[in-house]
Amino acid sequence: MLLSLLLIIAIAAGGFALTYLIENDEPFIWRVATGTVIGSAVFGTLSFVLAMFFGLNAATVLVSLVVTVIPLKLILSGDRRKTFRHDWAKAKGKLQGATWTKGLRGFYYAVFLLLFVFFFDRTMIETDQGIFTGGSNNLGDLPFHLGAIFSFTDGANFPPQNPSFAGARFSYPFIADFVTAAFMKLGIGVKDAMLVQNVAWAFSLLVILERFVLKLTNDRLASKIAPALLFLSGGLGFIWFFGDFGAQAKGLSEFIWQIPKDYTIGPDFRWGNSLVTLFMTQRSLLLGMPLTLIVLGVLWRIFSFETDTDQTPTPLVIEGDQRSRISFWTISISPALMITGLIAGMLVLIHLHSLFVLFVVSLFLLILKPQIGRIIEWTTFAVCVAIVAFPELLWSISGSATETTKFFEWHFGWDSGETNFVWFWIKNTGILIPLLAVGAYLTNFPRGRKAVKNEESEKTKGKGQKAMDSSLIPHSSSLLLFYLPFAFLFLVSNVAKLAPWEWDNIKVLIYWYVGSLPFVAYALSWMWQKAAGLKIVAAACFIVLIFSGSIDVWRTVSWQIKNRVFDADAVIVTERIKRSTAPRALFLNAPTYNSAIVLTGRQSLMRYPGHLGSHGIDYTAREMDVKSIYSGGANADELMRKYGIEYVLISPEERSSVAANEQFFKKFSVIAEAGQYKVYKVK
């Protein structure tokens, strides 16, 4: 655990230095958070590129680590050193002297940090009885990520093939899992590596989202509310919770320790709590979202910057970035924008849906304000994105089994099924949409709002002069326009499938939700500060918004869920397989998510159809062949030769799901065995 912490700190240090090329006037904690995710992205991408040529080993990992921390030289000399010292002194000043405000701020961050530690600690549970997960929706996703990780650490999977569908390019965005694999090559266990990374990325997302909302609303209370609304998101499931409580005989104190089900996801609800259904299960999003918010923050600065009314080119000055600029004729381009574009380009192998969101947002913003100066800025950004994204995208689709035609189809209502569309969204998001409308109104017509002090409004021009009143949101009309692409994402996600499995539209819808949070949080903040009576309304609305999500998160952190993923024999046979087979050996196993082969890093001819189908892979013919081989029919030997299968696993899963004909395989030698698990060498 200690080594994992030291590694993430080193990676964050390199990314921390890079933040001075993006923003010069940001708080220290934002730099640490931003540095953590940028550093992780750079480190993961560098490690992967080196591993493609030299394999994944301690040497390539250490070289990548050294390159990642090289930017530290930026803050050790010149003007940036002075800026760093100023930021450090300011950060220390915030910690010195006990005040109620400082204590409350520290408590806020401490609560979330502890929540993330306890929550992500339940991602993977290792015991003598096997490997479990404490996430209600992580039963299939944990082995998928473990399969990716172990394919890099133990399967020599370079260039990467899909571990679940041998022979096809691994086109799933895997950098988050690759960072875990790199940590493991330095002697860190998979559970410790994932835990430290997940907590670091989640806390970074908290800080980056907080700052993003502050930039948009100029309201510090709203910025504190928004992360809670994201991490504890949910709908009206708490009503069902109280219904279930009333229908049984246990007391409330006993019932909350034995909650029977989730109340944000299931037959009645499809939105899901973000921690339970997204950030634990989809690690790519956990790294991709904070990166996307960093880029969106820069795009907001471009969009909200006012040009002359005659639309003559005016250089964009990104806050604090006035020292170094690159000029094209009369247009001045900020290096910050170029670096941000390069960062966005890495999203192809980190979280492709996030890059799609950035594309939609950028296109909308360009159309909404097409001044010449902005066109140059957007073009520069797009070119820098393409420099990184195009080679990654070209590489990932070459040899992929994914059928892109399956990623778009007209489909109304997202995952509402037969439920009334309006009731579906009310049930799943509660009062979020009405509060969104209230917040949109207040941001554009904020008359009578009580002033909110923040760092920007506390600057004074002279001795004895009162701080400026920044109660009004700057560029409020621009803020409403900035929201339009997020509203479009909501619309398109409700009229079309953007993935083979309609629920996967959540990967886009979650950005609509995040784009709505500034308005929702602002509405709550406005009510809280407006009048005593409205404080009660604001508090009640806040509780309604987070109640259902809090129930589901509580189920996880209170150890109420413990689902077995791999039994003890599966873990034992895994080690024996790794000792007896080559790293790139091809296995036949039942098409299931939790085959023991997952833990070996070896290739499977085919694994879980649910994963393959959601990735746009047509697996039907191969699935029929897998069943034919296990049946021991006349063409079984021919099919094994056709696919080049070297080993066949027979376990309880093969016996139950594909009716494995064990008598047929007894003609082959057994090379590994544990309990009811046997591995036959067939080639």
Side-chain angles (χ1 to χ4, degrees), residues 259-271:
I259 300 174
K261 62 183 181 181
D262 284 342
Y263 290 92
T264 65
I265 191 73
D268 296 315
F269 304 95
R270 301 307 299 152
W271 178 253

Side-chain angles (χ1 to χ4, degrees), residues 230-477:
L230 173 63
F231 291 116
L232 300 176
S233 59
L236 299 180
F238 64 90
I239 299 175
W240 279 252
F241 168 80
F242 285 115
D244 290 341
F245 168 67
Q248 50 85 57
K250 297 176 184 177
L252 181 60
S253 60
E254 184 180 2
F255 184 71
I256 62 174
W257 286 96
Q258 299 176 17
I259 300 174
K261 62 183 181 181
D262 284 342
Y263 290 92
T264 65
I265 191 73
D268 296 315
F269 304 95
R270 301 307 299 152
W271 178 253
N273 169 261
S274 64
L275 279 172
V276 172
T277 64
L278 292 177
F279 297 138
M280 177 184 282
T281 62
Q282 300 181 30
R283 304 184 70 234
S284 297
L285 178 63
L286 189 58
L287 178 58
M289 181 174 282
L291 282 172
T292 304
L293 286 177
I294 293 166
V295 178
L296 286 174
V298 174
L299 297 185
W300 162 249
R301 290 194 179 280
I302 300 173
F303 186 71
S304 62
F305 178 76
E306 298 297 337
T307 60
D308 297 336
T309 55
D310 62 359
Q311 296 189 2
T312 54
T314 305
L316 168 68
V317 179
I318 291 188
E319 182 180 347
D321 186 38
Q322 302 171 351
R323 282 191 294 272
S324 59
R325 306 185 63 77
I326 300 174
S327 297
F328 298 95
W329 298 285
T330 60
I331 304 297
S332 183
I333 305 297
S334 166
L337 185 60
M338 302 171 68
I339 293 169
T340 305
L342 296 175
I343 292 170
M346 291 191 288
L347 285 169
V348 171
L349 294 181
I350 295 174
H351 193 250
L352 189 57
H353 282 83
S354 293
L355 184 59
F356 168 73
V357 169
L358 287 177
F359 171 78
V360 171
V361 173
S362 301
L363 183 61
F364 259 81
L365 300 186
L366 174 60
I367 294 172
L368 290 170
K369 290 187 178 181
Q371 290 94 336
I372 295 176
R374 283 197 176 92
I375 291 175
I376 298 296
E377 299 285 355
W378 292 124
T379 303
T380 302
F381 174 73
V383 169
C384 291
V385 172
I387 288 173
V388 178
F390 184 74
E392 288 189 354
L393 188 61
L394 187 64
W395 175 86
S396 65
I397 63 177
S398 176
S400 171
T402 297
E403 298 180 24
T404 55
T405 56
K406 294 184 177 182
F407 280 80
F408 185 86
E409 179 183 339
W410 296 113
H411 178 84
F412 179 75
W414 182 40
D415 205 14
S416 58
E418 299 299 321
T419 306
N420 176 272
F421 178 75
V422 175
W423 169 236
F424 171 80
W425 278 108
I426 293 174
K427 184 171 65 170
N428 278 275
T429 62
I431 59 174
L432 181 124
I433 294 177
L435 283 174
L436 167 62
V438 172
Y441 173 82
L442 291 173
T443 55
N444 207 37
F445 304 99
R447 292 186 296 271
R449 179 177 173 271
K450 183 179 179 180
V452 179
K453 290 183 179 181
N454 55 50
E455 289 179 1
E456 288 75 20
S457 66
E458 290 173 353
K459 298 176 182 178
T460 59
K461 294 182 179 179
K463 185 177 180 180
Q465 185 174 351
K466 293 183 178 180
M468 295 173 61
D469 183 354
S470 300
S471 61
L472 301 183
I473 294 179
H475 312 305
S476 57
S477 59

Side-chain angles (χ1 to χ4, degrees), residues 580-581 587 640 646-650 662-673 677-683:
S580 306
T581 65
F587 277 75
M640 285 192 289
E646 300 172 72
Y647 301 94
V648 174
L649 171 68
I650 294 184
E662 294 187 68
Q663 191 64 36
F664 170 80
F665 292 100
K666 285 184 178 180
K667 64 184 180 181
F668 302 110
S669 60
V670 176
I671 59 99
E673 185 175 3
Y677 290 75
K678 289 184 179 180
V679 178
Y680 293 92
K681 183 177 181 180
V682 298
K683 180 180 179 181

Side-chain angles (χ1 to χ4, degrees), residues 144-223:
F144 176 82
H145 289 292
L146 291 178
I149 293 167
F150 286 121
S151 77
F152 297 128
T153 59
D154 296 273
N157 194 18
F158 302 100
Q161 291 186 33
N162 191 328
S164 300
F165 200 76
R169 176 62 53 85
F170 193 24
S171 55
Y172 180 87
F174 53 74
I175 290 297
D177 289 331
F178 198 87
V179 173
T180 302
F183 275 38
M184 291 174 65
K185 280 301 179 179
L186 297 182
I188 300 169
V190 62
K191 174 181 169 62
D192 287 347
M194 285 198 299
L195 175 60
V196 169
Q197 291 161 12
N198 289 347
V199 171
W201 296 339
F203 191 80
S204 297
L205 174 57
L206 162 74
V207 174
I208 293 167
L209 174 61
E210 176 190 358
R211 188 65 181 175
F212 177 72
V213 173
L214 179 60
K215 288 178 180 178
L216 268 61
T217 66
N218 200 34
D219 187 309
R220 190 161 298 280
L221 179 58
S223 72

